[in-house]
Amino acid sequence: MGSTSEKTYGSRVYNAEQMSTNVATFTGYVPITPETALVEYNTYIDELKANNTLIASAESDFSLAVDERQDQFSKSPTSLSKLLSPISSYVKAKFGKNSQEAEDIAALVNQIRGESTKKLKRSDDGEFVSNSHRSYGSQTQYLADLIATLEAFGLEYTPTNTSITVANLKLKLEELTQANTQVTTTYSVKKPLTDARITNYDVLSQRSQTIKESVKSQYGLQSSEYKLIKGYNI
């Protein structure tokens, strides 16, 4: 088995399985520690594979929640960002371009637009999530303020565009709040699993190295047994 530089979690589990299969053929192999006995080692591998399945599901749920939130805030035809211009245009037409009402709405619209998440970089998952939560949370709060301001206009604010009526904007606010909550919930499920996986794979690496040392000690540095397994990156 040649050495490989691929260090993904999937490849590491695969390499561990292959190494275990090889060691099982070694005549008289005796593990140095109980947890590196092949039965225990294989059980641990199975646990990691099961956890990987849980993590894949959690990551999928989180990604779907992130995509849904982006749709609600900026991508879909009825997203928050698509509603801002019609709201501003109606208020300007109704009250006048230079009216106090138009200025108040423009200020809130600018605050919402100023919280754009496009500038956020996903180089660090935790930082990205934290920053995006703050940004989307701010947009949601500014929308609530915007709705309160429009509601204060009373019957003066009665647009024919039903998507920007006060009633439907309140529904949109509920949708945005739910989208934020779903991202938070799915991330809260995903984060502990992915953090634990780092520790669990460190354990796998340590146990794998101990098995290699056992084989090297028992069969020798130049033995075919050790040469067969030493290149596995786990």
Side-chain angles (χ1 to χ4, degrees):
M1 162 70 186
S3 178
T4 174
S5 61
E6 186 178 11
K7 298 290 287 184
T8 64
Y9 291 115
S11 71
R12 290 169 69 184
V13 163
Y14 175 79
N15 287 343
E17 289 180 310
Q18 295 305 301
M19 188 177 76
S20 178
T21 298
N22 284 324
V23 174
T25 68
F26 298 167
T27 301
Y29 167 71
V30 178
I32 291 178
T33 59
E35 65 269 14
T36 56
L38 290 184
V39 172
E40 296 295 330
Y41 187 68
N42 290 336
T43 297
Y44 194 71
I45 291 173
D46 289 340
E47 291 174 357
L48 294 185
K49 290 169 68 176
N51 287 336
N52 283 344
T53 299
L54 292 176
I55 292 170
S57 177
E59 289 181 336
S60 176
D61 290 343
F62 174 66
S63 293
L64 289 173
V66 169
D67 290 344
E68 173 62 22
R69 182 168 68 176
Q70 289 177 336
D71 284 343
Q72 291 284 358
F73 276 85
S74 62
K75 291 187 175 181
S76 75
T78 59
S79 65
L80 173 59
S81 65
K82 303 295 193 304
L83 300 176
L84 299 177
S85 289
I87 292 171
S88 294
S89 296
Y90 180 85
V91 173
K92 287 178 182 178
K94 182 69 175 181
F95 298 98
K97 182 179 180 180
N98 298 316
S99 65
Q100 185 60 53
E101 290 85 353
E103 288 183 11
D104 291 344
I105 294 302
L108 288 167
V109 166
N110 288 336
Q111 285 177 314
I112 293 173
R113 287 174 172 163
E115 289 293 337
S116 172
T117 58
K118 292 180 180 179
K119 60 182 179 294
L120 299 177
K121 304 297 183 182
R122 198 160 188 167
S123 57
D124 180 83
D125 185 64
E127 183 179 356
F128 172 85
V129 170
S130 177
N131 289 341
S132 64
H133 280 353
R134 286 195 296 271
S135 179
Y136 284 117
S138 295
Q139 290 183 66
T140 304
Q141 182 56 55
Y142 288 137
L143 175 59
D145 294 341
L146 178 64
I147 292 170
T149 302
L150 295 173
E151 197 166 25
F153 296 160
L155 295 178
E156 294 297 308
Y157 183 76
T158 54
T160 57
N161 181 349
T162 58
S163 64
I164 61 170
T165 63
V166 168
N168 283 331
L169 288 174
K170 287 181 177 179
L171 292 177
K172 172 57 66 177
L173 179 61
E174 291 179 7
E175 292 173 349
L176 299 183
T177 301
Q178 290 171 0
N180 282 334
T181 299
Q182 188 63 13
V183 170
T184 300
T185 299
T186 54
Y187 185 71
S188 296
V189 172
K190 179 183 87 78
K191 180 63 172 171
L193 290 173
T194 54
D195 286 349
R197 179 164 65 177
I198 295 173
T199 300
N200 293 338
Y201 271 79
D202 284 343
V203 172
L204 176 67
S205 180
Q206 292 165 7
R207 292 188 183 184
S208 300
Q209 187 59 39
T210 300
I211 289 175
K212 290 180 183 181
E213 293 299 327
S214 296
V215 171
K216 181 168 65 173
S217 173
Q218 187 170 349
Y219 299 96
L221 178 64
Q222 300 301 323
S223 66
S224 59
E225 288 86 355
Y226 180 64
K227 290 179 178 179
L228 191 62
I229 66 169
K230 70 176 183 178
Y232 284 108
N233 285 323
I234 302 169

